[in-house]
Amino acid sequence: DTLWDLAIAEVEKRENSDDGKLVEVWEKSVLVMGNKNGGKTTIILRCLEREENPKPTLALEYTFGRRATRHNAPKDVAHFWELGGGTSLLELIRIPITSNSIRSFSVVLVLDLSKPNELWTTMEKLLQVTRNHVNKILNKLEKTNPEVATEIKQRMQNNLQRDHPDYELIDPFPVPLVIIGSKYDIFIEFDSEMRKIISKTLRFVSHYYGASLVFTSKSEGLLVKARILINHLAFGYDKSKFVSVDHSKPLFIPAGLDSLSQIGPPPASDSDIGKIRANTPLELWKKVFEITFPPKSFCDLQDTKDPAQDLQYAEHEVDVMRAQKKQ
């Protein structure tokens, strides 16, 4: 049999299983992005239960995971894309996020808690570019497939119950979003006031975007919590109802379970807030955050090594040809 014959037979088998009922195979896509060296690869490997040592990510990398929901059923597939290089390779998000994948797409943003001066800049750049790209796709879909566009928008509005006091005040991200604060083991050594400012700010941002928030580190106990949220996106596992908002402990807040009244005002004195000019609540929080943690100008590309010189990508025939061409 050719590969096509086998594929056709497999599809027919799936369609005829369960007494003629069509078995739907779950396929989701998750894009993981965030700070350079922030622990993105480690988080993906733990979600897929792979015991591998993480390697530095070059550009955009792809892997996948499979899970069987019940005995003898086809396995659900989750596609994991990882964007390397921090904020330097944002153009590449156009590859995984397309009009075909948008319906089952979600984003995981990994922020390095040990680098608070880079935190807001990284978050703002990555979310802004992703949001603009997703909105472009949705605008196209409104003309070509309005039902799908409406379904996606409706789903994001449903993340927050209509009777939630903040329903009119937030601006949900157009696709499901999980924000992960990594390197909690370093963050816990910070001064308690600094920790409080970072925690409150991330709580506000997550709530404003209708996102889930979790703090994690290399410890197994904390990685399990990040896995719960990512497995919900990737395989549709139940979303946890557990909530931890205590700033002296690792945060864990599934989407829609926080509120502006619980988060409180931005962490600054009334006189300081009075002097700040901001058009939106998000801008106000940004300016207050940057009083304590002024943004550091950094270039994600500065220490990018030439992948052609990296031994892990060595291919004898290709390298010989390259050397010949160079000569």
Side-chain angles (χ1 to χ4, degrees):
D1 286 355
T2 67
L3 190 59
W4 287 115
D5 295 331
L6 294 170
I8 291 164
E10 177 67 22
V11 169
E12 283 173 356
K13 190 170 120 191
R14 283 182 190 179
E15 286 176 350
N16 297 327
S17 61
D18 271 17
D19 303 322
K21 287 181 208 155
L22 181 68
V23 178
E24 189 185 349
V25 178
W26 178 289
E27 262 196 49
K28 297 269 181 173
S29 299
V30 180
L31 172 64
V32 182
M33 56 189 186
N35 286 89
K36 201 167 179 180
N37 304 321
K40 301 183 290 296
T41 311
T42 304
I43 290 165
I44 293 174
L45 290 173
R46 291 307 299 125
C47 280
L48 299 175
E49 294 173 17
R50 287 192 197 155
E51 300 294 332
E52 295 171 28
N53 289 327
K55 291 177 183 167
T57 303
L58 271 176
L60 185 69
E61 293 200 1
Y62 168 81
T63 187
F64 67 93
R66 301 174 77 182
R67 294 275 189 284
T69 40
R70 59 185 192 279
H71 188 57
N72 283 342
K75 287 186 176 178
D76 294 335
V77 180
H79 307 282
F80 285 89
W81 297 87
E82 184 188 348
L83 181 70
T87 57
S88 62
L89 301 166
L90 282 168
E91 290 296 304
L92 293 176
I93 64 164
R94 289 186 288 186
I95 295 167
I97 310 178
T98 64
S99 49
N100 292 329
S101 68
I102 191 80
R103 213 170 157 181
S104 58
F105 209 91
S106 47
V107 172
V108 173
L109 175 66
V110 180
L111 298 171
D112 188 337
L113 295 173
S114 69
K115 297 176 182 169
N117 299 79
E118 294 176 15
L119 197 141
W120 193 286
T121 318
T122 303
M123 175 174 70
E124 189 174 55
K125 268 192 190 175
L126 290 168
L127 291 183
Q128 220 167 26
V129 172
T130 308
R131 182 170 216 155
N132 292 344
H133 179 63
V134 170
N135 284 338
K136 267 187 207 166
I137 292 174
L138 288 177
N139 291 339
K140 271 188 201 166
L141 277 176
E142 274 174 353
K143 293 168 190 158
T144 58
N145 199 339
E147 294 87 10
V148 172
T150 310
E151 180 202 315
I152 292 166
K153 287 181 177 174
Q154 198 56 51
R155 189 178 61 207
M156 290 321 296
Q157 290 295 341
N158 292 345
N159 244 351
L160 206 60
Q161 301 297 326
R162 282 188 179 276
D163 56 0
H164 194 291
D166 306 333
Y167 189 77
E168 298 296 329
L169 303 171
I170 68 162
D171 183 14
F173 203 69
V175 292
L177 172 66
V178 168
I179 296 177
I180 296 179
S182 66
K183 304 196 181 172
Y184 181 77
D185 47 335
I186 300 172
F187 172 76
I188 198 69
E189 304 295 328
F190 286 7
D191 169 72
S192 67
E193 199 51 42
M194 284 167 71
R195 290 205 313 269
K196 190 176 174 186
I197 293 169
I198 296 168
S199 298
K200 275 186 83 162
T201 304
L202 286 178
R203 276 181 70 188
F204 172 79
V205 170
S206 299
H207 184 57
Y208 185 75
Y209 283 132
S212 299
L213 174 66
V214 59
F215 283 2
T216 186
S217 70
K218 283 182 180 171
S219 92
E220 195 56 38
L222 291 181
L223 277 169
V224 164
K225 291 184 176 173
R227 257 171 68 187
I228 289 169
L229 293 176
I230 295 174
N231 280 337
H232 171 68
L233 299 179
F235 299 106
Y237 288 8
D238 288 344
K239 202 161 56 167
S240 173
K241 290 278 189 283
F242 170 76
V243 176
S244 169
V245 293
D246 183 348
H247 297 134
S248 61
K249 293 176 183 161
L251 298 183
F252 182 89
I253 311 166
L257 298 184
D258 211 344
S259 68
L260 294 174
S261 58
Q262 279 182 294
I263 297 165
S269 65
D270 292 347
S271 59
D272 280 346
I273 288 179
K275 292 175 199 162
I276 296 170
R277 288 189 170 193
N279 297 324
T280 63
L282 197 64
E283 206 179 319
L284 176 66
W285 277 83
K286 175 185 178 178
K287 289 185 173 174
V288 169
F289 184 78
E290 289 180 347
I291 292 170
T292 313
F293 303 106
K296 201 169 72 180
S297 61
F298 64 96
C299 175
D300 277 323
L301 278 173
Q302 62 199 8
D303 51 317
T304 304
K305 297 189 188 82
D306 177 3
Q309 307 303 321
D310 193 323
L311 290 176
Q312 69 169 317
Y313 301 108
E315 286 186 53
H316 181 67
E317 290 84 353
V318 178
D319 296 340
V320 168
M321 294 294 280
R322 270 190 67 124
Q324 198 178 328
K325 184 182 176 193
K326 207 170 173 184
Q327 206 175 341

